[in-house]
């Protein structure tokens, strides 16, 4: 690879030495989240959103609890301008929500932007200009002073057009901040906040974008903390960040920036945006949630959020996307499944000990950093079975989906049957298919095979004495056989012995498949049949019948 063509970040941007504090800081509260799906994310779509999709996305963002929403680039297209005008209609925007509109530092485009928000009660006008050296030289054709004049002229025009209008606040982004000389970015930002007369009761948003990621996240944190420490009107500034994901570290950049003093984060749901995307606000918010910090967003129906975003963007959310992907709470590996099954059982027991519902108990389950139920996900898909799966995952699905609580040794035996099936097909086995296989392999074997019981009766004939009489069809030959024992099953095995089939019951387990008197009973027996050990299972509304069927299942197996 021709790596010599590229300069490392430390040769492109140097942060002055200072005593940084972000490495030991902690995030204890959520920042102000600002989704830019309707502007930045929309610009990244091959097919930009139509008005209906824009409105659906806006309504989703409001429902999730966002209080500041960037809604468009009104001077860039008629569609964006018209959408902002629609939001100017009375009642279109909730009273606690502020919209943000975006404009470059060009007079006629600033004027177009202000025209779009005429009649809007609360708006932030977001002014931007690229300040990094390559952009100054190649895109703008200006030196540092020339770009400074461009920014100040634009900021002055914004202030003139806003006048004394209530409800209008200002935001400035030195675009490509992360590649701009820190002292130059500081000078430009301080001059803008002075021109706009930023004050604590009317703060200015200074948004510092990592427009194109070029460095490890710690460098971005240093840049943010440098600004946080040195801004002239820090108490009159809302320090904002806008990370991208070119290096795949957008989330890390945002989190470290919050440690470094940022108070506001711009991004998109599920990370849509130019190139590799804007920072993912869903991941950031749920990362806080898993640390015990309230993200102040409603993510309790993650699947509906994902469906809406996929509809509006016409882009899929990958199956492995953090938290929201279809497979992120799913385990196929046998060791993972066993740990999750045990962890879920431990969680339920802990909740019972605490006297609280499972949904309110402290969460600490192996391989599941978040309770899927917090996101509106069921536990149905947590464990799925394929050729990599083990007995623990299989047992979990049989118990949760079919009410079958298999003894451990039976789990081991049935897992082999499942692996034969999945190895042969190469496909995943659904919970229904798993139940069907168990029925075929065990429950139905009482009726299929060389030994069939066509009729039977049992009686308690004395202390610790039971008699069993049954009509057995063995390899097509039918006869009546009897036996006695200290219980119905021992009497059944004696009758089988009279027919020439030696059966010893080694283990026996029974349980109901659900609550209430109408629930079926299931019995599991481990038998040595003519010297060969096999498990059998039977199910019936009668415990006795289920037990007899379980013995016949083992015999036929």
């Amino acid at each position: 690879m021709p790596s010599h063509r590229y300069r490392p970040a430390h040769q492109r941007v140097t942060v002055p030495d200072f005593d940084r504090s972000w490495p030991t800081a902690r995030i204890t509260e959520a920042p102000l989240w600002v989704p830019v799906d309707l502007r930045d994310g929309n610009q990244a779509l091959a097919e930009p959103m139509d008005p209906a999709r824009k409105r659906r996305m806006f309504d989703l963002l409001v429902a999730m609890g966002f209080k500041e929403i960037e809604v468009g680039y009104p001077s860039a297209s008629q569609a964006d301008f018209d959408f902002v005008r629609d939001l100017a209609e009375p009642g279109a925007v909730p009273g606690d929500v502020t919209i943000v509109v975006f404009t470059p530092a060009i007079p006629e485009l600033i004027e177009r932007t202000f025209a779009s928000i005429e009649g809007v009660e609360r708006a932030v006008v977001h002014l931007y200009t690229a300040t990094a050296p390559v952009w100054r030289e190649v895109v703008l054709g200006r030196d540092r002073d020339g770009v400074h004049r461009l920014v100040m002229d634009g900021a002055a025009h914004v202030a003139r057009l806003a006048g004394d209008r209530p409800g209008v606040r200002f935001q400035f982004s030195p675009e490509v901040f992360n590649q701009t000389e820190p002292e130059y970015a500081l000078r430009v930002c301080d001059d803008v906040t002075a021109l706009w007369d930023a004050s604590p009761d009317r703060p200015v948003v200074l948004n510092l974008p990592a427009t194109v990621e070029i460095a490890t996240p710690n460098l971005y944190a240093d840049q943010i903390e440098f600004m946080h420490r040195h801004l002239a009107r820090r108490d009159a500034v809302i320090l904002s960040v806008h990370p991208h994901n070119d290096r795949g570290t957008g989330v890390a950049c945002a989190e470290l920036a919050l440690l470094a003093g940022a108070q506001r984060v711009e991004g998109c749901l599920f990370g849509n945006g130019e190139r590799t995307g804007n920072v993912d606000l869903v991941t950031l918010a749920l990362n806080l949630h898993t640390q015990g910090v309230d993200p102040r967003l409603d993510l309790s129906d993650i699947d509906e959020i994902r469906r809406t975003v996929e509809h509006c963007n016409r882009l899929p959310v990958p199956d492995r996307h953090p938290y929201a992907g279809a497979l992120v709470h799913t385990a196929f590996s046998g060791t993972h499944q066993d740990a999750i099954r045990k962890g879920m059982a431990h969680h339920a027991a802990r909740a019972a000990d605490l006297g609280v519902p499972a949904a309110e108990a402290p969460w600490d389950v192996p391989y599941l950093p978040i309770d899927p139920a917090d996101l509106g996900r069921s536990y149905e898909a947590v464990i799925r079975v394929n050729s990599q799966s083990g007995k623990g995952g299989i047992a979990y699905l049989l118990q949760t989906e079919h009410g079958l609580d298999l003894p451990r040794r039976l789990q081991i035996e049935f897992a082999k049957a499942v692996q034969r099936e999945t190895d042969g097909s190469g496909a995943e086995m659904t919970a229904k298919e798993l139940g069907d296989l168990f029925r075929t392999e065990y429950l139905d074997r009482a009726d299929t095979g060389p030994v069939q019981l066509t009729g039977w009766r049992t009686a308690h004939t004395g202390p610790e004495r039971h008699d069993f009489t049954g009509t057995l069809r063995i390899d097509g030959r039918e006869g009546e056989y009897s036996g006695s024992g200290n219980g119905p099953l021992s009497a059944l095995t004696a009758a089988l012995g009279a027919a020439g089939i030696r059966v010893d019951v080694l283990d026996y387990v029974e349980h109901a498949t659900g609550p209430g008197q109408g629930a079926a009973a299931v019995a599991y027996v481990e038998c040595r049949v003519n010297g060969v050990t096999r498990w059998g299972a039977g199910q019936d509304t009668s415990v006795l019948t289920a037990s007899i069927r379980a013995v016949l299942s083992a015999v036929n197996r």
Side-chain angles (χ1 to χ4, degrees):
M1 299 294 290
S3 302
H4 64 277
R5 301 177 59 217
Y6 301 94
R7 286 184 297 153
H10 70 269
Q11 293 181 8
R12 303 171 72 176
V13 180
T14 301
V15 181
D17 288 334
F18 66 97
D19 185 20
R20 63 178 61 80
S21 63
W22 65 260
T24 57
R26 297 288 182 271
I27 301 174
T28 58
E29 62 179 359
L32 173 61
W33 306 112
V34 182
V36 296
D37 299 79
L38 290 166
R39 188 267 297 179
D40 216 6
N42 191 41
Q43 291 175 319
L45 300 176
E47 296 181 61
M49 297 179 213
D50 56 36
R53 282 179 166 82
K54 277 179 173 284
R55 187 70 215 197
R56 184 170 173 182
M57 177 68 81
F58 181 79
D59 290 343
L60 170 68
L61 297 171
V62 169
M64 291 175 67
F66 290 104
K67 301 305 179 187
E68 196 169 299
I69 301 170
E70 190 159 274
V71 296
Y73 193 155
S75 64
S77 71
Q78 190 63 43
D80 267 25
F81 184 90
D82 291 343
F83 181 66
V84 178
R85 293 307 302 146
D86 288 342
L87 295 178
E89 293 294 324
V93 178
D96 60 347
V97 173
T98 299
I99 66 169
V100 183
V101 287
F102 189 73
T103 180
I106 299 173
E108 59 270 24
L109 301 186
I110 294 172
E111 292 162 11
R112 177 78 166 160
T113 301
F114 270 91
S116 74
I117 60 170
E118 189 66 39
V120 172
E121 292 185 16
R122 288 160 309 282
V124 173
V125 176
H126 180 181
L127 180 76
Y128 83 95
T129 298
T131 55
V134 174
W135 274 255
R136 293 195 307 255
E137 297 161 12
V138 175
V139 180
L140 301 175
R142 299 183 182 222
D143 60 12
R144 285 167 56 136
D145 289 341
V147 170
H148 182 271
R149 284 194 300 274
L150 177 65
V151 171
M152 299 310 294
D153 289 346
H157 201 44
V158 166
R160 281 193 297 273
L161 291 173
D164 56 359
R165 285 178 50 174
V168 176
R169 293 188 292 110
F170 305 142
Q171 174 176 341
F172 172 64
S173 288
E175 186 77 354
V176 210
F177 160 80
N178 62 319
Q179 296 183 47
T180 301
E181 307 90 333
E183 72 284 355
Y184 178 66
L186 181 66
R187 172 195 166 196
V188 173
C189 287
D190 280 346
D191 288 350
V192 168
T193 54
L195 188 151
W196 282 341
D197 194 22
S199 62
D201 60 342
R202 196 185 185 193
V204 164
V205 176
L206 289 179
N207 186 56
L208 307 177
T211 306
V212 179
E213 274 197 314
I214 63 163
T216 51
N218 60 297
L219 179 58
Y220 189 53
D222 283 349
Q223 292 171 312
I224 298 302
E225 185 164 353
F226 175 81
M227 298 292 285
H228 168 60
R229 296 277 198 93
H230 295 94
L231 284 168
R233 300 188 181 208
R234 184 63 187 90
D235 62 344
V237 167
I238 299 171
L239 193 58
S240 176
V241 292
H242 181 113
H244 279 257
N245 199 43
D246 300 87
R247 291 170 52 93
T249 57
V251 168
C253 278
E255 291 182 325
L256 268 59
L258 292 175
L259 296 174
Q263 302 154 288
R264 180 181 184 269
V265 179
E266 295 186 352
C268 291
L269 301 184
F270 307 119
N272 180 43
E274 302 97 335
R275 302 177 311 280
T276 54
N278 295 70
V279 71
D280 177 1
L281 297 186
V282 173
T283 297
L284 283 169
L286 288 174
N287 282 354
L288 290 183
H289 176 65
T290 64
Q291 301 303 303
V293 176
D294 182 1
R296 297 195 300 219
L297 292 176
D298 185 357
L299 296 155
S300 60
D301 191 352
I302 198 72
D303 289 334
E304 178 58 25
I305 294 170
R306 188 188 71 238
R307 282 191 294 267
T308 300
V309 171
E310 287 179 330
H311 168 77
C312 293
N313 288 344
R314 299 181 177 95
L315 291 173
V317 173
D319 286 348
R320 298 294 180 191
H321 195 97
Y323 302 111
L327 295 177
V328 295
H329 304 298
T330 301
F332 291 100
S333 161
T335 54
H336 289 205
Q337 292 175 341
D338 187 56
I340 290 171
R341 181 179 66 87
K342 291 173 180 174
M344 295 292 282
H346 180 267
H347 177 72
R350 186 182 186 188
D353 290 344
L354 294 172
V356 299
E360 296 177 15
W363 182 257
D364 195 10
V365 174
Y367 295 112
L368 291 177
I370 190 171
D371 185 349
D374 286 356
L375 308 181
R377 290 268 179 91
S378 71
Y379 296 116
E380 179 180 345
V382 169
I383 289 177
R384 289 163 61 175
V385 172
N386 63 15
S387 61
Q388 304 299 308
S389 304
K391 65 183 186 306
I394 293 165
Y396 176 86
L397 282 181
L398 286 177
Q399 183 174 23
T400 57
E401 299 300 311
H402 302 285
L404 301 171
D405 189 4
L406 274 57
R408 178 175 172 77
R409 288 196 299 278
L410 177 53
Q411 293 175 21
I412 296 170
E413 185 180 282
F414 182 54
K416 295 176 182 177
V418 173
Q419 191 147 39
R420 284 195 304 271
E421 193 78 14
T422 52
D423 278 342
S425 68
E428 178 187 352
M429 181 171 283
T430 66
K432 179 183 182 303
E433 290 168 341
L434 197 64
D436 290 344
L437 180 62
F438 186 82
R439 176 168 294 282
T440 300
E441 186 73 23
Y442 292 91
L443 299 176
D444 291 346
R445 294 300 286 274
D447 303 315
T448 60
V451 180
Q452 296 180 33
L453 185 64
T454 60
W456 59 273
R457 62 185 182 276
T458 184
H460 186 195
T461 56
E464 296 187 1
R465 179 181 173 86
H466 289 256
D467 295 334
F468 183 94
T469 301
T471 302
L472 289 168
R473 182 181 297 121
I474 304 173
D475 293 328
R477 295 190 299 274
E478 192 169 288
E480 187 172 272
Y481 301 90
S482 299
S484 298
N486 61 4
L489 288 192
S490 61
L492 168 62
T493 60
L496 289 167
I501 304 170
R502 182 179 175 182
V503 179
D504 298 311
V505 175
L506 306 178
D507 197 4
Y508 172 82
V509 179
E510 67 178 58
H511 66 80
T513 57
Q517 293 183 342
V522 62
Y524 313 99
V525 293
E526 186 181 28
C527 298
R528 185 183 296 115
V529 183
N530 292 336
V532 178
T533 300
R534 290 288 185 273
W535 279 88
Q539 187 171 338
D540 196 87
T541 53
S542 160
V543 174
L544 177 58
T545 301
S547 303
I548 290 170
R549 290 181 62 80
V551 172
L552 287 170
S553 168
V555 168
N556 282 325
R557 293 190 69 249

